[in-house]
Amino acid sequence: MKSVLRQGVLWVFALWTVFPIYWLLNTSLKMPLDVTARPPTFIFAPTFANYTAMLHDPAIIGFFVTTLIVAVGTTIFTVLLSTPAAYVLARFRFRGNTDIGFWILSSRFTPPVAMLIPFFVMFEMTGLLNTYAGLIIAHVAINLSMGVWLMRSFFMGLPKELEEAASLDGASPLKTFLSVILPISRTGIAAIAILTFLFTWNEFLFSLVLGGSLPTVAVGLYKFIGYEQIEWGHLSAAAIIMLLPVLAILLLFQKHLVQGLTMGAVK
Amino acid sequence: MNLLKPHSIWQGERLFILLMLAPAMALLFAFTIAPFAISVWLSFTDYLLSRPPARFIGLSNYIQLFTSAAFWSAFWISVLFTTLTTLVETVIGVAIATLLVGARRTGGFLRTIYMLPLAVTPIAIIFTFRMMFNPGLGIINYLFRLIGLPPQDWLGDSTMAMISLVTVDVWQWTPLTLLIVAGGLAALPTEPLEAARIDGATGWQSFRYVTLPMLMPFVALAVLFRAVDAFKTFDLIYVLTGGGPGTSTTTLNVMAFKQAIEFTELGRGSATAIIVMIIITLASQFFLRRSKLLTVPEVGA
């Protein structure tokens, strides 16, 4: 009896969690007449018309291309910058090490708007507004602290014997890092790459203000919400397409996602 | 000559550390420390985007904010939103995480489902909720009528708009609390629970007096994470209600954005953003001291 109740509560919570996504999918498969039908329809003749319309719209394709360029660029630079720094922070004792660690963690407490205003001013002066370079720089800045922090805890988990053996063989720290540490760090690097990609793909505020006329999908969707009020079917299809890579990441890399969201506090 | 070798290794190591750190540190400096300094400086100026040279006006922005009704209204709305979301998310998150421990067979599948809201693009979900909250065509009012409740103006009424925002935030972020608490539960020793069972404690008693006290550091961590993020919430409020109707859901963060970006009063907006940051820093320091959170070995490891 008790376990039936337990299962009941857990499944109700699962239903509550899935329902909005189900409803989005449901709406994306409806003809306009079904979308606005009262009462709302759960069963109807599904159509892919919304998807074909969205995938043939050059503006929508443009949003996706922009988002992809920004997310991939951000991921590459975040990995390249955070990996070496994290290794040194994890393995070497030097003055200021713990200060840097604290500084990185404290970035989680900074409200995005406080960072956004100076970015806006700097980008306005340097002409980086509405450029790929500008958007990538901003997103690297947003994700770098998370990347360094997670990579640092990954390196801390590696056995110290690796470096000891390498140094007995006379390898320099740089050689050790490149030929011993990096090859066995693929899973850690993959984790921060995936997280950076996901967070950049989903990001809205910085993309809106720094790239308003070079819109990512999130910004494009936001602009459509305003004046295309009743084209729910179209927007739902675009939103579902936007969720596809996200769902793939969730299914394949669930554990990494947990670590990224909790800054590694939960393994 | 013998001294040269260790010395050169040491020199090399120092150079290595510097080279490895420099790129990331330079970037962190240029794009977190420097912007922060610019923000602080802007907050002491009357910088308007339309009238460029920024003039130093001392504490005027801060004084004007602290003496304006709009600021205090936004402050209390932020506090209300943060309190409501953190409270509801903590209660549901702890409850579901606890129930999930006993559900061995379906646990893995359910856990994946519960993680969905954390991964999905916020804008896509906010758009979905906007459709569902639509007073005439939305599914929520339809379901309300179906079970005999009066339909609501979810986004058009001040009280309902706050409830709607809390609902979406709870939908999206309860899973994070759930995950942190579930992680804690998995790490707890089983002996105290066994002992309680042998002593004849009921399920509720052993949860209340054995599990919950041991779990507190994890609950505290979840509360800290959620409260900080709730106070910083922007996307959800800006896109779902735009801070309205009127200013009934305008939090400090939304106010800072509107001042700086919509009204191009960069000085005023910076001052508001700096205040948000000071509040978050002070409140989380206070909370960290009170909850002795730093004694959890997992935190910061």
Side-chain angles (χ1 to χ4, degrees), chain A residues 2 6-7 9-11 13-14 16-21 23-24 27 35-40 42 81-89 92-94 100 102-105 107-125 137 140-141 144-145 148-149 152-153 156 173-175 177 198-199 201-205 208-209 217-219 221-222 225-226 229-232 235-236 239 242-243 246-247 250-251 254 257-258 261-267, chain B residues 12-13 16-17 20-21 23-25 27-36 38-39 42 47 49 92 96 98-106 108-132 134-139 142-143 145 167 170-171 173-176 178-180 183 203 218 221 224-225 228-229 232 234-235 238-239 253 256-257 260-261 266 269-270 273-274 276-277 280-281 284-285 288 298-301:
Chain A
K2 241 180 173 171
R6 174 200 300 270
Q7 288 288 341
V9 173
L10 289 175
W11 283 98
F13 189 69
W16 147 267
T17 302
V18 169
F19 189 80
I21 299 162
W23 197 247
L24 182 67
T27 310
V35 171
T36 54
R38 300 177 67 173
F42 287 86
L81 289 163
S82 60
T83 309
Y87 176 68
V88 169
L89 287 172
F92 291 84
R93 277 154 59 123
F94 55 92
I100 297 172
F102 179 76
W103 171 27
I104 287 169
L105 199 61
S107 68
R108 205 190 154 105
F109 294 137
T110 314
V113 183
M115 302 300 301
L116 181 67
I117 296 167
F119 262 91
F120 184 64
V121 174
M122 290 192 300
F123 280 19
E124 162 107 341
M125 286 172 181
I137 289 173
V140 171
L144 191 60
S145 59
V148 173
W149 191 256
R152 177 176 158 272
S153 48
M156 282 168 133
L174 183 64
K175 186 148 188 284
F177 174 68
L198 178 69
F199 292 159
W201 184 265
N202 284 350
E203 203 279 330
F204 172 66
L205 174 61
L208 174 70
V209 174
V217 190
V219 175
L221 203 58
Y222 167 72
I225 296 174
Q229 202 61 276
I230 225 66
E231 287 285 3
W232 283 354
L235 290 180
S236 300
M242 188 179 189
L243 291 187
V246 172
L247 295 176
L250 173 67
L251 290 175
Q254 201 175 334
L257 183 65
V258 179
L261 288 163
T262 60
M263 291 295 265
V266 174
K267 305 275 173 206
Chain B
E13 199 165 87
F16 173 69
I17 292 175
M20 298 276 279
L21 271 178
M25 289 304 126
L27 205 98
L28 271 180
F29 179 82
F31 295 110
T32 60
I33 300 284
F36 176 68
I38 295 176
S39 244
L42 281 175
Y47 192 25
L49 206 58
I92 301 180
I96 298 292
T98 313
L99 290 175
L100 199 59
V101 176
R104 299 228 181 282
R105 220 153 31 86
T106 47
F109 175 69
L110 287 172
R111 198 180 285 241
T112 305
I113 289 190
Y114 295 161
M115 289 208 43
L116 270 170
L118 297 177
V120 295
T121 313
I123 292 300
I125 282 309
I126 299 166
F127 160 69
T128 310
F129 273 97
R130 259 180 86 126
M131 287 196 294
M132 299 201 303
N134 186 292
L137 304 170
I139 179 80
Y142 168 73
L143 294 176
R145 280 191 213 98
T167 306
V170 165
W171 182 83
W173 292 110
T174 302
L176 187 68
L178 195 165
L179 278 172
I180 295 175
F218 294 94
L221 178 69
L224 178 70
F225 269 48
V228 168
D229 285 350
K232 296 194 309 192
F234 177 80
D235 299 9
Y238 188 69
V239 179
N253 218 8
F257 180 86
I261 307 298
L266 295 162
S270 298
I274 296 288
V276 173
M277 196 163 114
I280 291 175
T281 311
S284 49
Q285 287 297 330
L288 279 168
E298 277 84 354
V299 178

Side-chain angles (χ1 to χ4, degrees), chain A residues 183-197:
Chain A
I184 56 165
S185 302
R186 267 172 304 197
T187 53
I189 292 172
I192 58 163
I194 289 152
L195 287 170
T196 307
F197 182 87

Side-chain angles (χ1 to χ4, degrees), chain A residues 17-266:
Chain A
T17 302
V18 169
F19 189 80
I21 299 162
Y22 157 73
W23 197 247
L24 182 67
L25 181 67
N26 180 311
T27 310
S28 76
L29 297 170
K30 284 177 178 175
M31 294 300 276
L33 215 59
D34 287 316
V35 171
T36 54
R38 300 177 67 173
T41 44
F42 287 86
I43 296 155
F44 52 91
T47 167
F48 284 98
N50 295 317
Y51 289 90
T52 10
M54 287 293 98
L55 292 174
H56 283 91
D57 187 332
I60 303 283
I61 300 296
F63 298 161
F64 277 99
V65 172
T66 303
T67 314
L68 207 61
I69 293 172
V70 173
V72 170
T74 303
T75 305
I76 292 170
F77 283 105
T78 304
V79 168
L80 285 179
L81 289 163
S82 60
T83 309
Y87 176 68
V88 169
L89 287 172
R91 278 297 206 253
F92 291 84
R93 277 154 59 123
F94 55 92
R95 233 173 34 170
N97 188 325
T98 49
D99 296 339
I100 297 172
F102 179 76
W103 171 27
I104 287 169
L105 199 61
S106 71
S107 68
R108 205 190 154 105
F109 294 137
T110 314
V113 183
M115 302 300 301
L116 181 67
I117 296 167
F119 262 91
F120 184 64
V121 174
M122 290 192 300
F123 280 19
E124 162 107 341
M125 286 172 181
T126 52
L128 280 169
L129 281 179
N130 300 313
T131 61
Y132 290 116
L135 284 174
I136 291 172
I137 289 173
H139 286 102
V140 171
I142 296 170
N143 286 297
L144 191 60
S145 59
M146 186 256 324
V148 173
W149 191 256
L150 286 185
M151 250 352 254
R152 177 176 158 272
S153 48
F154 176 84
F155 286 132
M156 282 168 133
L158 294 179
K160 280 218 168 68
E161 287 78 17
L162 289 167
E163 281 103 330
E164 282 163 13
S167 101
L168 281 179
D169 292 344
S172 69
L174 183 64
K175 186 148 188 284
T176 311
F177 174 68
L178 292 177
S179 58
V180 179
I181 300 298
L182 277 188
I184 56 165
S185 302
R186 267 172 304 197
T187 53
I189 292 172
I192 58 163
I194 289 152
L195 287 170
T196 307
F197 182 87
L198 178 69
F199 292 159
T200 308
W201 184 265
N202 284 350
E203 203 279 330
F204 172 66
L205 174 61
F206 280 73
S207 306
L208 174 70
V209 174
L210 305 177
S213 43
L214 184 65
T216 58
V217 190
V219 175
L221 203 58
Y222 167 72
K223 291 194 165 162
F224 277 121
I225 296 174
Y227 50 73
E228 225 179 324
Q229 202 61 276
I230 225 66
E231 287 285 3
W232 283 354
H234 281 180
L235 290 180
S236 300
I240 288 286
I241 300 171
M242 188 179 189
L243 291 187
L244 291 179
V246 172
L247 295 176
I249 288 173
L250 173 67
L251 290 175
L252 296 171
F253 306 101
Q254 201 175 334
K255 211 182 97 202
H256 300 322
L257 183 65
V258 179
Q259 290 183 356
L261 288 163
T262 60
M263 291 295 265
V266 174

